């Protein structure tokens, strides 16, 4: 059986990938073959849906994963309801990846929950990634091990996120840094200092 050791950080797991059982190796092969088949199956078909749910068996109702996708240990991925994962996503999942309800993962996002030890390269160090409810991860962004993206947060395109992101905030850059808070949703109109109505636009309430 592959050797797993917990470091002083209780959130980190160390896995020696040279010590895997035949069952673990067989599971890895099965996942690789399922993902290959999924990536080469016509979207919108019964077979596509079946493969998607075999790869991500805990996926919630209304969620979608676009192809192509690359995933290692996809059984360590938990996907909530009404989640959208656009094509080109990379999931390195040994540390565990949780994507909560309503989150949007744009194209070519990398979710990397594991790294290699600097001295013992056959050992991977793993920390969970958590994507909060209604979070939006912009195209080409990278989320590194141990990072939590708060509910309703936005990560700018091509950002590299090395630290937790607070709820209702926007971050961007490499490394990603705070840009601004997302204010509470306003009603269709509000008042200025003279108590005059201010129209917020058609996109606010569809009026």
């Amino acid at each position: 059986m592959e050797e797993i050791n917990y470091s002083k950080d209780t959130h980190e797991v160390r896995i020696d990938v040279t010590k895997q059982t035949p069952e673990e190796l067989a599971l890895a092969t099965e996942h690789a073959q399922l993902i290959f088949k999924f990536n080469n199956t016509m979207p919108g078909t019964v077979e596509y849906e079946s493969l998607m749910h075999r790869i991500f068996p805990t996926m919630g109702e209304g969620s979608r994963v676009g192809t192509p996708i690359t995933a290692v240990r996809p059984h360590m991925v938990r996907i909530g309801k009404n989640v959208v994962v656009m094509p080109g996503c990379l999931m390195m999942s040994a540390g565990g990846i949780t994507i909560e309800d309503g989150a949007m993962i744009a194209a070519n996002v990398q979710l990397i929950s594991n790294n290699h030890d600097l001295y013992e390269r056959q050992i991977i160090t793993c920390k969970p990634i958590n994507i909060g409810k209604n979070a939006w991860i912009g195209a080409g962004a990278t989320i590194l091990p141990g990072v939590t993206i708060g509910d309703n947060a936005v990560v700018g395109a091509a950002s590299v996120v090395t630290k937790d992101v607070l709820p209702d905030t926007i971050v961007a850059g490499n490394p990603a840094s705070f840009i601004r808070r997302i204010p509470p949703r306003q009603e269709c109109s509000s008042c200025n200092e003279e108590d005059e109505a201010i129209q917020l636009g058609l996109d606010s309430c569809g009026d």
Side-chain angles (χ1 to χ4, degrees):
M1 183 175 183
E2 65 185 14
E3 186 175 298
I4 302 177
N5 294 311
Y6 289 84
S7 69
K8 292 180 180 179
D9 182 346
T10 57
H11 292 93
E12 181 178 279
V13 177
R14 293 170 60 84
I15 301 174
D16 188 338
V17 297
T18 67
K19 298 179 179 179
Q20 299 185 78
T21 65
E23 292 78 13
E24 288 162 340
L25 292 171
L27 181 60
T29 299
E30 178 186 356
H31 286 154
Q33 292 175 348
L34 283 172
I35 291 167
F36 178 86
K37 192 171 184 180
F38 181 51
N39 286 336
N40 292 277
T41 297
M42 182 68 71
T45 62
V46 172
E47 183 181 14
Y48 187 94
E49 293 287 327
S50 175
L51 287 166
M52 181 173 66
H53 286 282
R54 286 179 66 188
I55 294 166
F56 302 108
T58 63
M59 178 184 294
E61 182 179 355
S63 293
R64 300 286 301 175
V65 175
T67 54
I69 188 168
T70 302
V72 179
R73 304 184 186 221
H75 61 292
M76 301 290 290
V77 178
R78 302 288 181 266
I79 298 176
K81 298 178 181 179
N82 301 313
V83 169
V84 176
V85 179
M86 294 296 287
C89 188
L90 167 65
M91 298 180 179
M92 303 297 294
S93 314
I97 296 172
T98 299
I99 305 173
E100 296 193 25
D101 297 351
M104 299 191 302
I105 311 298
N108 300 318
V109 165
Q110 301 186 99
L111 304 176
I112 303 176
S113 71
N114 49 270
N115 201 351
H116 288 271
D117 186 271
L118 288 175
Y119 302 101
E120 299 177 88
R121 302 293 172 87
Q122 77 280 7
I123 291 177
I124 56 174
T125 58
C126 312
K127 290 184 178 182
I129 287 174
N130 294 283
I131 310 295
K133 294 179 179 178
N134 302 312
W136 174 12
I137 312 301
T142 298
I143 313 299
L144 294 181
V147 167
T148 292
I149 308 296
D151 293 351
N152 201 44
V154 176
V155 175
S159 298
V160 178
V161 185
T162 62
K163 298 178 181 179
D164 290 352
V165 176
L166 293 175
D168 300 298
T169 60
I170 301 172
V171 301
N174 182 5
S177 59
F178 174 82
I179 302 298
R180 64 180 176 88
R181 290 196 59 81
I182 299 173
R185 183 188 296 273
Q186 300 182 24
E187 300 300 328
C188 288
S189 61
S190 60
C191 293
N192 61 16
E193 293 179 356
E194 290 76 32
D195 292 329
E196 294 177 352
I198 300 174
Q199 183 65 33
L200 298 182
L202 294 176
D203 289 339
S204 60
C205 293
D207 52 353

